[in-house]
């Protein structure tokens, strides 16, 4: 395509030529997601992304969708001028939700809103999104980059995205837990992408001087698609919760029948040191920590007691440390002891 210069629009703050350049720079990153995701029928740059899912072996296919953003973790990307991993967070926040019902992610679309389209920066962001899609086994089949100079702060941007997955209706993971079942906690890679408004308040001084802290906090969210798929294949899973905003107290009950809750043993695994640093530096009470952060557990699966050892082994074989962190009990109040 021949680039069209539009000086009038450029003088108003929108450089369409930079937009064309961004698309060219991101093409190689996007196309690497096509290889692994059977069903892609369109190339980057069209008006719509086309995808033909493989429905073989499914009795009653059900589409599952999820949408999210990265949130104020982006502020650290702006501070450090590091933009190649927040796209992984974006994908993770979406795909980790839809796998809780047993779905396989099929494709992903992104939305980038920026004050100024710097092609190299946009391509770096999209590289991260593509990396997340590769980890998830899904295709990045479309997106939008919008230059909004009067709505977005200088040198900043916001990210949003959504994914679509598929699951056979007969294999949807529901709320089938019973009292006495076990909770398996899957290790997180750190704080993931939640609680950063509190983190930035707690570390208001350190973030401008402690490069190592910023680097640790920018560690991308773990993508659990492949380990969870292996777990579902090998073990009878009775419920799955993605531990995001709201921490343990909000998210674990979402995979349980209303008459049940859980009892968590906080000594059953080692809580990463970053959470203790947040608590001590900010004077944050334990209740607030478990209400805000994942505390080292990025996802929880409910299994029968007899399947605990096998579940931990399967997850470990698929690259994720896991622990038996508690039990399902009768009642309404989640307890952490």
């Amino acid at each position: 395509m021949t680039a069209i210069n539009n000086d009038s629009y450029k003088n108003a703050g929108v450089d369409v030529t930079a937009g064309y350049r961004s698309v060219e720079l991101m093409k190689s990153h996007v196309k690497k997601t096509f290889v692994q995701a059977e069903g892609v029928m369109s190339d980057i740059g069209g008006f719509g992304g086309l995808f033909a899912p493989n429905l073989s072996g499914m009795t009653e296919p059900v589409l599952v969708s999820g949408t999210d953003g990265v949130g104020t973790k982006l502020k650290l990307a702006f501070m450090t001028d590091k933009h190649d991993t927040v796209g992984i967070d974006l994908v993770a926040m979406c795909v980790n939700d839809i796998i809780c019902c047993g779905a396989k992610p099929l494709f992903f679309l992104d939305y980038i809103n920026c004050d100024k389209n710097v092609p190299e920066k946009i391509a770096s962001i999209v590289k991260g999104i593509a990396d997340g899609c590769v980890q998830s086994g899904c295709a990045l089949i479309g997106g939008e980059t919008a230059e909004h100079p009067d709505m977005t702060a200088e040198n900043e941007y916001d990210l949003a995205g959504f994914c679509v997955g598929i699951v056979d209706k007969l294999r949807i993971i529901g709320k089938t837990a019973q009292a006495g079942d076990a909770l398996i906690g899957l290790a997180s890679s750190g704080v993931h992408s939640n609680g950063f408004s509190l983190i930035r308040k707690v570390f208001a001084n350190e973030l401008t001087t402690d490069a190592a802290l910023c680097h640790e906090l920018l560690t991308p969210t773990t993508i659990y698609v492949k380990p969870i798929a292996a777990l579902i294949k090998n073990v009878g899973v009775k419920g799955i919760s993605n531990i995001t905003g709201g921490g343990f107290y909000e998210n674990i009950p979402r995979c349980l029948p209303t008459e049940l809750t859980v009892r968590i043993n906080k000594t059953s695994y080692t809580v990463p040191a970053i959470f203790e640093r947040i608590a001590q530096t900010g004077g944050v009470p334990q209740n607030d920590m478990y209400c805000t952060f994942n505390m080292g557990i990025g996802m929880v699966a409910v299994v029968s007691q007899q399947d605990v050892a096998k579940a931990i082994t399967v997850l470990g074989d698929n690259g994720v440390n896991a622990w038996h962190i508690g039990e399902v009990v009768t009642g309404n109040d989640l307890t952490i002891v």
Side-chain angles (χ1 to χ4, degrees):
M1 170 181 177
T2 302
I4 300 172
N5 291 317
N6 188 332
D7 290 336
S8 297
Y9 209 5
K10 186 174 182 179
N11 291 335
V14 178
D15 187 349
V16 294
T17 304
Y20 301 143
R21 174 65 175 156
S22 295
V23 172
E24 289 302 314
L25 290 177
M26 69 176 69
K27 277 186 176 180
S28 62
H29 303 307
V30 174
K31 286 187 175 181
K32 72 184 180 184
T33 73
F34 292 177
V35 176
Q36 58 182 0
E38 177 187 357
V40 179
M41 297 181 64
S42 56
D43 202 352
I44 184 173
F47 286 101
L50 304 179
F51 193 93
N54 181 359
L55 304 181
S56 61
M58 290 194 173
T59 303
E60 195 171 349
V62 176
L63 294 178
V64 184
S65 60
T67 186
D68 212 330
V70 179
T72 62
K73 183 175 185 175
L74 293 176
K75 288 286 189 180
L76 273 71
F78 308 153
M79 291 174 58
T80 59
D81 197 26
K82 179 174 173 54
H83 310 283
D84 61 340
T85 60
V86 287
I88 299 175
D89 291 294
L90 178 64
V91 175
M93 296 298 285
C94 298
V95 298
N96 284 348
D97 274 351
I98 72 166
I99 62 174
C100 290
C101 66
K104 167 184 167 53
L106 296 175
F107 58 83
F108 191 90
L109 285 88
D110 66 80
Y111 177 79
I112 305 171
N113 168 43
C114 58
D115 77 305
K116 181 180 180 181
N117 190 327
V118 179
E120 292 76 15
K121 180 188 289 187
I122 299 299
S124 183
I125 296 167
V126 173
K127 176 189 179 299
I129 297 170
D131 288 344
C133 288
V134 169
Q135 292 181 35
S136 307
C138 68
L140 178 58
I141 65 169
E144 172 70 9
T145 300
E147 197 170 12
H148 292 158
D150 296 327
M151 294 180 64
T152 309
E154 185 177 359
N155 295 321
E156 295 194 357
Y157 55 83
D158 196 14
L159 301 181
F162 80 89
C163 62
V164 172
I166 195 167
V167 62
D168 198 329
K169 186 175 181 179
L170 297 175
R171 297 177 181 173
I172 293 174
I173 306 291
K175 300 179 180 181
T176 60
Q178 298 176 323
D181 285 338
L183 265 67
I184 305 297
L186 283 66
S188 71
S189 55
V191 293
H192 285 178
S193 298
N194 300 104
F196 273 84
S197 294
L198 177 55
I199 286 171
R200 289 185 301 108
K201 180 179 179 180
V202 168
F203 295 131
N205 297 321
E206 289 91 332
L207 290 178
T208 58
T209 59
D210 192 335
L213 174 61
C214 288
H215 179 77
E216 179 175 4
L217 292 171
L218 276 172
T219 301
T221 304
T222 301
I223 290 176
Y224 296 102
V225 172
K226 294 175 182 178
I228 286 293
L231 183 66
I232 293 170
K233 182 178 179 181
N234 289 279
V235 176
V237 178
K238 300 183 176 186
I240 303 175
S241 284
N242 185 20
I243 310 302
T244 55
F248 282 32
Y249 285 98
E250 180 177 327
N251 291 294
I252 294 177
R254 294 168 66 181
C255 76
L256 301 172
T258 55
E259 72 276 8
L260 299 178
T261 186
V262 296
R263 181 181 174 89
I264 303 289
N265 178 5
K266 66 180 179 181
T267 65
S268 58
Y269 71 101
T270 301
V271 177
I274 186 61
F275 296 105
E276 183 63 24
R277 183 173 176 181
I278 294 169
Q280 288 187 352
T281 303
V284 184
Q286 174 181 289
N287 179 77
D288 292 0
M289 291 296 296
Y290 282 90
C291 279
T292 307
F293 301 108
N294 66 62
M295 301 302 288
I297 300 296
M299 188 158 283
V300 168
V302 181
V303 302
S304 297
Q305 290 286 348
Q306 61 264 30
D307 289 330
V308 167
K310 186 175 183 180
I312 292 172
T313 298
V314 168
L315 291 167
D317 289 344
N318 285 272
V320 176
N321 290 329
W323 303 272
H324 179 190
I325 64 168
E327 274 72 43
V328 177
V329 297
T330 302
N332 298 312
D333 297 325
L334 185 152
T335 55
I336 298 173
V337 296

